[in-house]
Amino acid sequence: MSGDKAAPLPQTYPERRWLLPSAVLHELDPDALPEGRRPRRTARDWLVDFSAFLIAVLVGLAGAQSLTHADLPPGVATVDQVVGALACATVWARRRWPVGLAVAMIPTGLVSTTAGGAAMIILFTLAVHRPFRYVAWIGGISLVLTPLYFWVRPDPDLSWTAVVSFTCLFTVTVIGWGMFVRSKRQLMVSLRDRARRAETEAFLRAERAQRLARESIAREMHDVLAHRLTLLSVHAGALEFRPDAPREEIVRAAGVIRESAHEALQDLREIIGVLRTGDGDEAGRPQPTLAALDALVTESREAGMKVALDNRVTEPAGVPASVGRTAYRIAQEALTNARKHAPGTEVTVTVTGAPGEGLTVTVRNPAPDGDVPSVPGSGQGLIGLTERATLAGGRLEHGTERDGGFAVRSWLPRARRQHLRTHRRT
């Protein structure tokens, strides 16, 4: 991926933020807040917190009412109610310190009946916001102390067994409900994270496809235009160094220059058309295949090159068009390189192959006479040829030989479609 681009992140329900808890919004979009800053309450949080506080107060009032019928020492009911009121107030801070408040509710519940509602709400919040190990320890201790509490302070209306059973069942229900809410929130965050990753991967795949398309078009432009422009350079150089050449030769060279320029413009126009329309290689004029090698060699000879073609392909009609086009581009680029780096030498193009054996293309030229000036940007065409051969399922080798000559050898599979299917399976 390019350095100045980043995958776009999905928006987090901008029109429904008030319906989600602030903790969930923070999990869905953790970068929305500065580090260390707590998320602000949403409208839903305010509604839930007020409802939880109201429930805790109502349960506390019911507990305070039951204290009037209990036989308690003087002042105990007052302490019970004060502690219960403080416990109800802590409901507003339960999201910030769920573990600490849940631990504090254990001794608070032993001394205050009116704090029962706040204790259950805080235990529920603990189950929602913290892992199971915290809930198991704190909830387990509360369940173990429940029989002891009602043994010390029995309920005036219910038996010890009934009230203990009901309280334990209610505590387990609250914990289970909180864990269920936690699992739903984790599922929501997980699905949102998957959606974000899917969008990022889709963005990267699209960008990679665009990059591959640009590289393919760049290779095509290099293969086509380099060949045409090299012909122009050769004939223009001949006119420059031989201004006294016969008129017929000057006319022929000018014709070749005009024709090569026209072909280069036509090829460039077709490539730009592919960029505009998004069509594939089959758009525009028919693409060159193996059968166009004779025309390529003839064109090179007309440009003054010495080229020998040895075409020994069995059943050339059975060669797939994509493989033939790759072989043509390999021969074209190799001839262009020979014209630039070894001018005046005789280039030999050998093409062999049979069904089941693949297609072999070899282009060789001897060492040039004298020193040849280096050409800027050399080597890029050979890199492109290697990529072409690899994409076609074949291979390409190039290098200097013992006698100083240079050779390009490539092998391409003839069963192109079958190779692609096998490659996809692996």
Side-chain angles (χ1 to χ4, degrees), residues 31-191:
D31 299 329
L33 290 175
E35 186 176 358
R37 183 176 177 182
R38 294 184 56 80
R40 299 178 60 181
R41 283 188 176 96
T42 62
R44 179 189 180 279
D45 288 340
W46 283 106
L47 179 62
V48 171
D49 290 348
F50 181 79
S51 300
F53 175 74
L54 184 60
I55 292 174
V57 170
L58 292 177
V59 173
L61 292 176
Q65 185 67 25
S66 66
L67 291 176
T68 60
H69 304 288
D71 185 15
L72 297 174
V76 173
T78 302
V79 173
D80 191 312
Q81 294 176 13
V82 171
V83 173
L86 293 177
C88 292
T90 60
V91 168
W92 292 96
R94 71 191 189 283
R95 290 192 183 89
R96 189 168 186 176
W97 300 293
V99 177
L101 290 179
V103 172
M105 285 298 110
I106 295 176
T108 300
L110 293 176
V111 298
S112 176
T113 302
T114 56
M120 288 299 170
I121 292 174
I122 292 175
L123 186 61
F124 172 81
T125 304
L126 177 69
V128 171
H129 293 275
R130 291 297 181 266
F132 176 71
R133 61 180 182 274
Y134 296 100
V135 183
W137 278 103
I138 297 175
I141 294 174
S142 298
L143 291 174
V144 170
L145 294 178
T146 297
L148 177 62
Y149 172 79
F150 286 106
W151 181 266
V152 176
R153 301 179 65 174
D155 189 279
D157 300 325
L158 297 175
S159 64
W160 180 85
T161 304
V163 72
V164 168
S165 300
F166 174 78
T167 304
C168 290
L169 179 61
F170 186 73
T171 302
V172 171
T173 302
V174 168
I175 293 175
W177 184 21
M179 294 177 61
F180 173 72
V181 173
R182 175 178 173 82
S183 65
K184 284 188 63 177
R185 292 186 177 183
Q186 289 179 334
L187 177 61
M188 180 187 298
V189 173
S190 174
L191 292 177

Side-chain angles (χ1 to χ4, degrees), residues 3 14 53 62 66 107 156 161 168 178 208 214 252 258 280 288 291 300 307 334 338 359 407:
F53 175 74
S66 66
T161 304
C168 290
R208 183 174 181 271
R214 288 195 297 266
R252 185 177 65 84
R258 180 185 59 80
S300 300
V307 184
L359 192 67

